[in-house]
Amino acid sequence: MKKTFLNLILLLVPIQSFAEGSIQIAVKLTPAGSFVAKSERLKGDLTRNQGEISSQKLSVSLDSFKTGMSLRDEHFCKHLGCESQPKAVLSGLKASGGKGTGSLELNGVKRDISFNYEDKDSMIVAKFELNSTDFKMPHAKYLGVEVSDVVSVEVRVPAPKK
Amino acid sequence: MKKRGGWVWVITLFLCGVPESFGADQMNDWIKAFNKNHPVETAKMRNGVNRGEEIKGSDFSQEYKELLYNLYQGYASRIIESKSLDPGVTKSTPQFEFFKKALGKLEYREDEVDSTSDRIRSHLTQLEEKKYRLRWRAFLHYMSWQSQAALVGPFETTSLLTTNLGFCPGVGASLENRFWALSLDLSGLYGSGGVSAVQGLVEYQQSQVPALGGRIAIGGGRIVSSSGSEVGLRGSLLFVRQNLTKPSDSQYSVTQDKMISYTVSLFSRWRFNRFYLETDFGRTVARPSTLWSIGLGSVF
Amino acid sequence: MMRAVLAIAMLMAPGLASAYPQFIGHGYPSCMNCHYNPMGNGPLTDYGRAVGADGIASGALYPKSWSEEKVADLSGFLFRTPVQKHFRVQANYRGMEMVSSVGTPSERWSWIHMQAGGQLILKFLENDRLTFVGEVGYNPSSNSAKATGQDKRKLRTREHYVGFRITPEVGVYAGLMDKAYGIRVAEHIAFSRILPEMTQNDQTHGVMIHGLFEGWEGALHGFVGNLLQAKDLRQVGASAQIERQLFTDHRLGMSLLSSKNDYVKMLSYSLHTRLSLSEGSALLLEAGQTERISLGSRGDRIGRYALLQTYTRPVRGLYCLTNIEYMKSDLSSAATTVRWGPGIQYFPVQKLELRTDLYQTRTFNPNASTQDGWTILFQTNVWL
């Protein structure tokens, strides 16, 4: 019984806090300005194994991004193709030595991406740029203000060291 | 066997409390089933979640997956019913996380799992945001205020007005959560002012009259942004000692306002990480005088 | 003397549909997205109207069935979605109830029509590279002008220019505009606008080059004075303003303005910063100095000013602001003025702004102590 009790405890000792990963996408506007779309609903986890970091799948619901304006939230979601594919999925992630690769599926298009990352003990912070045209997204423009096709992405995923 | 069953019951209660929506009995049955009825699957799942080993959905029975889902929703119910971050929530959250990850790896009932996860996250965030914390701060303000006095003569009384500027170094504490803050600030006051007659034929004028004192302020504010910007109201007790020179003519004397005054003011605060800028604008109660200050501070 | 200038300034009406540089707090460090005038002020672009409707104005009074998209669609002139690309119209009314000398025997309530006019915009080429903007409106006379019988014009134009973006980064604008200098705050009575003579009737005819690059924005402005003004009064000169983007959302800038007419030569310079504190909160700070040299007579002086404008947005549509101003109109004088102005600005629905400000003015003079002056303003701004 004690063993069962202990097993139960061990089973359930986590995964740490409830904190999930987060994503920030910095978007530039023309003629001027910018905004950051943020989501704190990145799902999935990372595994460490002898210096290598990997993940089967990380995903985020596209309607979870907040840009600071409700109308812009709607436009952002639609632009990313949330009506046809509600989630962006990164699969087959492998990383070591500050660099990594994975396969990103967005707007029905799957492409390999590469990224740089920093290992901050319990958090992996990865940064990369994306070109929306690579994922067959149309050039975004609203009432004369254009959105840059190239955006900067920062992903934070909890990955505690054992 | 009965004794074991009894221990499981006690441990369950100890660990998780009683999830009202699902009933204690129901949860206990599920936990028992999880521990005892599916040892191979549970061991695989444990390794998969805790050690990151790859697991395949096909290695688990439908019955087991449904059991995981029931446990997941059971712990979710316990959390969602809580009104504060009580021990029950603290203990239920890791269990909830475990089953969420397990179901995520199996990709079982993903939409429902995500929906429940979002609700729980939102609920826990709300509970966290409601939690009050004590914070300490130190600050330096630059303040201005006016005070009245009277020059009493044999035939008339002339109003005198002093306009002051001074520095207020101080410390404070606030009990705050994400939305509300209650604060207490104590500060010293060192400054000086110029005094002159407001009107009348008699002339009286003095400059740079030293002022020494202190201020105790109690306030309540609303935190309006995630960066910590705050607006609020504050009541304070201002104590100022400032001695105007008595006229050389013995027929005249100077009477001053009481050293203690009460003010009500509106304050705003903008945080830049640990540091903040604060402005304060208010009125002295029962006296026609306005006080304002601007300052910088640091939160600890 | 300065009090008289202030009193006159307080009684005069501000000009165009205002610039709101504090909207840097919404992620818009440049005015170009929302205004045809790249330095701010003047008519709003289609995007500016939509942002005003969806991001700035409160949504509390809209029917629940209305989506944000519908609200944005109603932001056009007369609540219509524009159906053509080349022609836009905007009409503005701004009125203010001013209570001056509050709490004194000379307390006075007066309603002032600050602005009543219309703007016409013509735009052509891809991305509206070529624009013609014209404004005409009611010209309220100041009390002094009324008393002396001067300035009988009932209509006035404060802005008319043609603008051409040579590239997306660089544009040229020629015509009547505000000078490029400092933070273009909406409060025309601000010391930062009075001292360098940047108030509601200080527009000038000239040519401005505007540049917007990665991390930098600036303008160079050469001007010959307002051609509708008597020749000897026209201030001829040049100004420059440049801003550097700090981190993602903040700006740090400096300005220089030099001009002269037959009577006065002026040199103004300032430093400023605009800080975005997210979710609509912002801090604006400007400090500068103006040297005023009288040609052929006495009266030279150097004046110094500073402005701190703070904004917090408790809920969508509502802004709590404070203007804290400092002025030493003449460095050789002992007197200094500090004005404190808490206020509330509320946009209940799109195209409507309600605002109230309380101004307390305190003079610091080692030789005399004077009672604070109080003014209360209640403003309404409607635009179509």
Side-chain angles (χ1 to χ4, degrees):
Chain A
M1 202 302 300
K2 271 191 187 172
K3 198 174 173 185
T4 307
F5 171 75
L6 282 171
N7 283 346
L8 185 65
I9 298 288
L10 281 172
L11 251 170
L12 306 179
V13 167
I15 343 304
Q16 261 38 358
S17 64
F18 189 64
E20 290 182 318
S22 64
I23 301 182
Q24 280 190 179
I25 303 177
V27 182
K28 287 188 185 165
L29 302 173
T30 307
S34 63
F35 65 90
V36 177
K38 296 180 193 175
S39 171
E40 294 186 359
R41 283 154 55 176
L42 177 66
K43 297 184 190 341
D45 49 15
L46 301 179
T47 309
R48 291 179 187 271
N49 186 13
Q50 294 175 336
E52 190 178 271
I53 298 166
S54 62
S55 173
Q56 278 181 290
K57 183 170 128 177
L58 296 175
S59 66
V60 64
S61 296
L62 296 175
D63 64 1
S64 67
F65 282 94
K66 300 294 173 203
T67 69
M69 263 185 223
S70 308
L71 181 62
R72 197 158 57 187
D73 294 346
E74 286 176 25
H75 288 172
F76 188 79
C77 182
K78 281 184 191 163
H79 180 66
L80 293 180
C82 62
E83 285 165 339
S84 55
Q85 184 185 327
K87 289 187 184 182
V89 179
L90 179 65
S91 52
L93 189 153
K94 281 187 172 31
S96 65
K99 290 188 191 308
T101 58
S103 182
L104 176 63
E105 188 174 356
L106 181 61
N107 196 35
V109 175
K110 200 163 184 177
R111 287 186 74 101
D112 291 337
I113 62 157
S114 58
F115 55 87
N116 297 326
Y117 74 92
E118 282 178 62
D119 190 343
K120 297 186 175 181
D121 287 338
S122 60
M123 186 76 73
I124 299 294
V125 180
K127 293 182 183 179
F128 55 95
E129 285 192 344
L130 280 183
N131 192 325
S132 59
T133 55
D134 291 342
F135 293 88
K136 294 186 181 166
M137 289 180 227
H139 181 64
K141 188 171 174 176
Y142 180 67
L143 296 178
V145 174
E146 296 185 33
V147 176
S148 172
D149 290 332
V150 177
V151 298
S152 302
V153 183
E154 181 183 290
V155 181
R156 291 175 170 260
V157 188
K161 285 182 176 168
K162 290 181 183 170
Chain B
M1 193 67 181
K2 273 190 184 174
K3 200 174 178 185
R4 273 190 180 177
W7 272 113
V8 169
W9 169 263
V10 168
I11 289 160
T12 304
L13 281 178
F14 172 72
L15 287 175
C16 317
V18 178
E20 288 173 20
S21 299
F22 286 90
D25 286 345
Q26 180 75 86
M27 276 298 283
N28 290 331
D29 287 344
W30 287 333
I31 292 170
K32 199 189 297 186
F34 179 78
N35 281 326
K36 296 176 76 68
N37 297 358
H38 303 274
V40 173
E41 286 166 309
T42 295
K44 257 192 206 166
M45 182 55 68
R46 184 197 314 156
N47 290 333
V49 174
N50 288 346
R51 294 181 188 155
E53 290 174 9
E54 195 172 328
I55 55 176
K56 292 181 198 167
S58 54
D59 291 342
F60 300 87
S61 64
Q62 181 63 25
E63 182 198 347
Y64 186 75
K65 290 176 189 174
E66 195 61 23
L67 174 64
L68 293 180
Y69 181 78
N70 288 335
L71 282 163
Y72 170 74
Q73 292 292 358
Y75 285 115
S77 285
R78 174 65 184 89
I79 295 168
I80 210 85
E81 280 157 11
S82 59
K83 301 281 184 277
S84 66
L85 291 171
D86 56 36
V89 170
T90 314
K91 285 165 187 162
S92 295
T93 302
Q95 278 84 318
F96 171 81
E97 256 312 286
F98 173 86
F99 289 110
K100 187 183 103 175
K101 285 194 182 287
L103 290 164
K105 282 187 174 290
L106 295 172
E107 296 181 3
Y108 184 68
R109 294 176 84 163
E110 280 185 288
D111 288 344
E112 288 143 294
V113 170
D114 283 349
S115 171
T116 300
S117 175
D118 290 343
R119 280 178 61 219
I120 296 298
R121 179 181 178 77
S122 174
H123 182 70
L124 287 175
T125 302
Q126 281 178 27
L127 293 183
E128 187 65 36
E129 287 179 342
K130 279 186 198 173
K131 212 165 135 185
Y132 279 90
R133 289 177 178 84
L134 188 64
R135 285 182 184 250
W136 297 93
R137 55 172 173 260
F139 54 82
L140 179 64
H141 286 182
Y142 190 57
M143 190 166 89
S144 176
W145 73 102
Q146 287 188 322
S147 51
Q148 281 79 38
L151 180 67
V152 181
F155 308 110
E156 66 196 350
T157 299
T158 305
S159 296
L160 303 177
L161 183 69
T162 310
T163 303
N164 301 286
L165 280 168
F167 286 97
C168 296
V171 292
S174 68
L175 202 58
E176 59 185 64
N177 63 13
R178 166 66 181 83
F179 299 107
W180 300 99
L182 206 61
S183 58
L184 171 68
D185 293 299
L186 302 170
S187 55
L189 168 65
Y190 175 71
S192 64
V195 57
S196 65
V198 175
Q199 57 190 21
L201 299 172
V202 179
E203 284 185 21
Y204 180 97
Q205 191 262 323
Q206 204 177 341
S207 59
Q208 294 187 312
V209 181
L212 203 60
R215 186 182 180 192
I216 301 172
I218 295 175
R222 167 87 179 169
I223 298 173
V224 298
S225 76
S226 54
S227 61
S229 300
E230 183 183 348
V231 290
L233 278 176
R234 170 186 284 160
S236 52
L237 192 91
L238 186 67
F239 166 78
V240 180
R241 187 186 170 88
Q242 187 175 40
N243 293 324
L244 302 183
T245 305
K246 284 182 189 168
S248 52
D249 187 335
S250 59
Q251 291 186 86
Y252 288 88
S253 63
V254 173
T255 58
Q256 292 181 244
D257 269 347
K258 288 181 188 167
M259 287 193 287
I260 294 177
S261 59
Y262 305 92
T263 64
V264 176
S265 59
L266 184 69
F267 73 88
S268 298
R269 199 176 284 140
W270 297 267
R271 284 202 194 149
F272 304 90
N273 298 322
R274 271 185 56 201
F275 301 101
Y276 66 87
L277 170 73
E278 181 174 315
T279 63
D280 197 10
F281 180 80
R283 197 86 175 134
T284 306
V285 173
R287 288 181 201 169
S289 172
T290 305
L291 169 152
W292 52 252
S293 74
I294 183 168
L296 295 172
S298 177
V299 178
F300 304 102
Chain C
M1 168 63 187
M2 205 53 226
R3 280 193 194 176
V5 171
L6 275 176
I8 291 166
M10 295 280 276
L11 288 170
M12 287 170 120
L16 302 173
S18 301
Y20 292 129
Q22 72 274 18
F23 289 158
I24 192 173
H26 287 285
Y28 295 109
S30 171
C31 307
M32 261 195 80
N33 284 333
C34 298
H35 291 272
Y36 291 102
N37 185 329
M39 302 303 287
N41 209 353
L44 292 165
T45 60
D46 293 347
Y47 186 85
R49 286 171 168 272
V51 167
D54 269 312
I56 310 297
S58 168
L61 298 179
Y62 297 141
K64 295 260 185 276
S65 57
W66 284 14
S67 65
E68 297 284 2
E69 197 76 56
K70 183 180 173 80
V71 170
D73 287 344
L74 294 174
S75 63
F77 180 64
L78 294 177
F79 300 92
R80 291 165 180 245
T81 307
V83 294
Q84 42 74 33
K85 293 190 297 185
H86 302 298
F87 173 76
R88 296 285 183 268
V89 174
Q90 183 167 323
N92 285 78
Y93 175 77
R94 190 182 284 264
M96 175 176 76
E97 180 72 29
M98 185 168 86
V99 188
S100 53
S101 305
V102 176
T104 70
S106 49
E107 178 178 307
R108 187 173 157 225
W109 290 65
S110 50
W111 179 266
I112 299 171
H113 301 291
M114 301 197 295
Q115 179 187 13
Q119 291 111 31
L120 175 68
I121 303 103
L122 299 172
K123 49 201 186 85
F124 305 98
L125 305 181
E126 190 188 353
N127 293 329
D128 301 336
R129 285 173 64 203
L130 179 64
T131 51
F132 299 90
V133 174
E135 183 270 349
V136 67
Y138 167 67
N139 176 44
S141 296
S142 65
N143 285 348
S144 59
K146 281 179 195 166
T148 57
Q150 293 172 347
D151 197 12
K152 292 179 181 172
R153 282 178 294 154
K154 284 299 167 195
L155 290 179
R156 187 185 197 105
T157 171
R158 290 193 176 88
E159 195 173 57
H160 51 261
Y161 62 86
V162 57
F164 179 62
R165 296 303 294 185
I166 303 167
T167 66
E169 292 81 19
V170 178
V172 179
Y173 300 79
L176 182 73
M177 308 172 78
D178 285 305
K179 301 179 200 95
Y181 180 88
I183 301 178
R184 196 169 287 182
V185 293
E187 297 80 4
H188 68 91
I189 58 168
F191 297 151
S192 61
R193 292 188 65 174
I194 288 176
L195 273 187
E197 296 190 3
M198 293 283 300
T199 60
Q200 76 280 8
N201 290 334
D202 286 322
Q203 292 81 26
T204 184
H205 280 96
V207 177
M208 183 176 76
I209 299 173
H210 171 265
L212 178 61
F213 306 95
E214 181 73 32
W216 293 91
E217 184 174 6
L220 201 56
H221 198 177
F223 48 84
V224 295
N226 190 335
L227 297 176
L228 297 172
Q229 202 176 24
K231 194 174 177 187
D232 58 335
L233 295 175
R234 295 177 203 163
Q235 285 278 336
V236 179
S239 69
Q241 195 228 57
I242 189 162
E243 283 187 335
R244 169 84 176 128
Q245 189 119 332
L246 297 177
F247 306 101
T248 325
D249 300 324
H250 312 303
R251 288 278 184 100
L252 183 65
M254 55 168 57
S255 303
L256 185 67
L257 189 157
S258 174
S259 63
K260 63 181 257 192
N261 62 16
D262 289 355
Y263 310 105
V264 169
K265 190 171 162 183
M266 291 183 59
L267 177 66
S268 299
Y269 33 89
S270 73
L271 291 174
H272 72 263
T273 183
R274 293 186 292 136
L275 306 177
S276 168
L277 302 177
S278 76
E279 295 150 48
S281 296
L283 288 179
L284 313 177
L285 177 64
E286 180 177 344
Q289 190 155 293
T290 296
E291 296 175 17
R292 191 182 171 87
I293 300 166
S294 296
L295 301 172
S297 66
R298 288 185 191 177
D300 297 356
R301 67 167 187 271
I302 301 175
R304 194 174 285 166
Y305 64 87
L307 165 74
L308 172 65
Q309 211 172 60
T310 69
Y311 282 88
T312 50
R313 190 187 77 152
V315 293
R316 177 176 153 177
L318 180 69
Y319 296 84
C320 300
L321 63 114
T322 304
N323 280 299
I324 302 168
E325 301 177 76
Y326 160 91
M327 180 174 70
K328 200 166 180 68
S329 57
D330 187 347
L331 293 186
S332 63
S333 155
T336 301
T337 304
V338 173
R339 184 163 65 194
W340 208 277
I344 290 180
Q345 189 181 34
Y346 182 47
F347 299 86
V349 291
Q350 57 172 300
K351 305 180 190 295
L352 177 63
E353 175 195 351
L354 304 172
R355 178 167 169 169
T356 181
D357 295 88
L358 174 69
Y359 282 104
Q360 180 243 15
T361 306
R362 178 169 289 172
T363 304
F364 298 88
N365 189 331
N367 303 318
S369 194
T370 52
Q371 297 278 15
D372 295 340
W374 291 89
T375 304
I376 304 175
L377 307 177
F378 301 99
Q379 290 188 54
T380 303
N381 181 21
V382 180
W383 64 96
L384 294 173

